[in-house]
Amino acid sequence: PPDISGKWILETNDRLEDYMKALNIDFATRKIALALSQTKLITQDGDKFTIKTCSTFRNYEISFTVGVEFDEHTVGLDNRHVKSLIKWEGNELVCTQTGQKANRGWKHWLQGEKLYLELTCEDVVCLQVFKRK
Ligand code: RET
């Protein structure tokens, strides 16, 4: 599988506001989150990952093993509990988040020198592109 580890900085952000609305994230948090720069710190050791999403306002961290479902509590995001399962699908690292919200998950993949992250909830797809920092 590809090596997505490293330090990445957000370059473009499409439909984050709609994604946050789909998650019922409040107005004030949405406005702050939209204005923020975000950095992803990814460590990868075989099938084990830690992904930290960092900003000056709030950070969000998950650790997981590919293929092993875990309970994710999205503290500081929408504060829900979901069952998350991450798998490699070809060269894409794909997460399914099963819970109250339909069609929820994300995908990471590399393209050129960039890291892409697609975040999905219900009918909304947010696309973020990161460059190496
Ligand atoms: C921030 C700031 C506080 C408000 C919101 C945020 C958004 C975080 C997101 C994180 C996604 C993380 C993923 C990790 C995968 O490994 C920046 C923490 C809403 C959307 C998909």
Side-chain angles (χ1 to χ4, degrees):
D3 179 9
I4 66 168
S5 65
K7 191 168 183 179
W8 300 89
I9 182 150
L10 184 65
E11 205 175 48
T12 64
N13 204 354
D14 183 53
R15 297 199 75 194
L16 179 62
E17 164 110 85
D18 292 328
Y19 172 77
M20 291 188 288
K21 277 187 188 167
L23 290 174
N24 316 106
I25 291 175
D26 67 87
F27 180 87
T29 304
R30 292 204 310 269
K31 295 303 148 190
I32 294 166
L34 278 182
L36 289 174
S37 173
Q38 286 182 31
T39 304
K40 291 264 180 214
L41 297 173
I42 305 180
T43 59
Q44 186 172 348
D45 176 15
D47 277 347
K48 291 188 172 23
F49 285 79
T50 297
I51 301 182
K52 292 185 196 174
T53 304
C54 302
S55 75
T56 52
F57 171 58
R58 215 173 262 166
N59 300 324
Y60 185 71
E61 178 172 337
I62 57 169
S63 294
F64 57 87
T65 302
V66 174
V68 180
E69 190 179 65
F70 66 101
D71 293 307
E72 182 177 2
H73 184 194
T74 61
V75 178
L77 305 182
D78 61 321
N79 303 303
R80 286 190 176 87
H81 291 268
V82 292
K83 296 271 185 205
S84 298
L85 176 61
I86 293 136
K87 290 181 181 173
W88 285 109
E89 290 183 8
N91 287 327
E92 299 185 344
L93 191 64
V94 180
C95 176
T96 308
Q97 295 169 308
T98 308
Q100 194 191 344
K101 290 285 174 181
N103 195 34
R104 180 170 182 177
W106 52 258
K107 275 180 199 187
H108 274 294
W109 71 92
L110 293 175
Q111 206 171 294
E113 301 287 280
K114 305 287 169 80
L115 175 72
Y116 285 70
L117 171 59
E118 198 179 80
L119 297 150
T120 303
C121 182
E122 297 172 334
D123 61 345
V124 178
V125 181
C126 162
L127 181 67
Q128 300 188 318
V129 183
F130 297 80
K131 66 177 179 195
R132 283 204 187 268
K133 196 170 171 180

